[in-house]
Amino acid sequence: MLHVLFILLKILGILLLLLVGVLLLVLLAPLRYSFKLEKEEQVSPEFSVRVTWLCWLFYFKASYIEKVFDYRIRILGHQIAGNQKEFLEKQKKKAEKAQEKRRKEKENRKKESQKKEKELPVTISEEKVSATEKPEEDLLKEKESEGSYSGESVTDAASHKELPTEKQVKEKTNNSSKRKGSFFKKGKARIKSLKDAKSNLDQFPWREWLELGKDIVIRFFKHVLPQKLRGTITFGCSDPAYTGYVTGIAAVFYPKYGENFSLYPDFERKVFAAQCEGKGRIRLGYILVLVVSILREKSVRIMIKRMILD
């Protein structure tokens, strides 16, 4: 008995270790990406993007070259999506084969049902025979009796129809006044609920949340932005002020990319030209760490609890 129990515990431990290993692999294995962009003045841009995960377990590639867009998705080396002519033809043949298979199965089911119907004996119930053999005179008499009954019901309804009394009119007016009162009460209740919601919103520490959101966004972009970037970009907006704003934002990243990447702002004309490439990675585990850091804030947890309870 103990030997069997130890074997079961051993199997459960192995399964638990496998589960933890797969979870760590998913969270820590980076999603790697690379891109390349080429754009000259008055010429359509050309770019290519590639994303891989777990040593080509997942592969995605998209490109736009010479005004032709191309993409493909592979899992374990098997292509599951794309717009290449050969892939689309294969998918079309597979769809035609599946459709032909469904059609044959439908025909076989139909033939089997027809065979079963032929094997069943054909019987007619006595009630149907009596209904078909019913004399015409009896049918005419039944129709006449139905018509006379309907006529009597209409005349009776017309004779019993009366005008509403004063009591009924008063009751209608009282009901309408009650409805108006309930409508005003509902309006007051809604206004009160809106005021309560506003007071609850005023209690939240919005300034702390803005600081937290700013910190999370900065950390997220630092993780997501490419680790290696090289090339040049020349740009200019219609308004020189916007060009200055963009240049100021780009200057924040100059310490990281300044050695291999150059940015040339043009304050005189609207222009965009680029020739650059870069590589980066994204870890799902780091995204989970950011979510946990948000949930660690007490005020955020209180807000979530209120939303769930409401």
Side-chain angles (χ1 to χ4, degrees), residues 23 82 95 112 189 223 245 248 281:
L23 185 62
E112 289 176 0
H223 179 73
Y245 295 150
R281 85 282 180 272

Side-chain angles (χ1 to χ4, degrees), residues 44-55:
S44 61
E46 294 183 355
F47 70 88
S48 62
V49 180
R50 189 178 67 179
V51 180
T52 59
W53 184 62
L54 280 177
C55 298

Side-chain angles (χ1 to χ4, degrees), residues 2 4 13 44 48 51 71 134 139 142 163 247 269 295 310:
L2 290 172
V4 175
S44 61
S48 62
V51 180
Y71 79 97
K134 199 169 185 180
L139 292 171
E142 287 180 1
L163 294 172
T247 306
R269 59 194 180 111
L295 296 176
D310 293 339

Side-chain angles (χ1 to χ4, degrees), residues 2 20-21 84 132 144 196 201 219 249 259 276 297 308:
L2 290 172
V20 172
Q84 295 79 32
T132 54
E144 288 176 359
D196 293 337
L201 289 173
R219 288 166 63 186
I249 294 169
E259 294 182 1
C276 58
E297 290 292 326
I308 293 169

Side-chain angles (χ1 to χ4, degrees), residues 200 300-310:
N200 291 330
V300 175
R301 295 199 303 272
I302 291 169
M303 184 190 69
I304 293 170
K305 286 180 181 177
R306 288 182 181 178
M307 290 173 66
I308 293 169
L309 292 172
D310 293 339

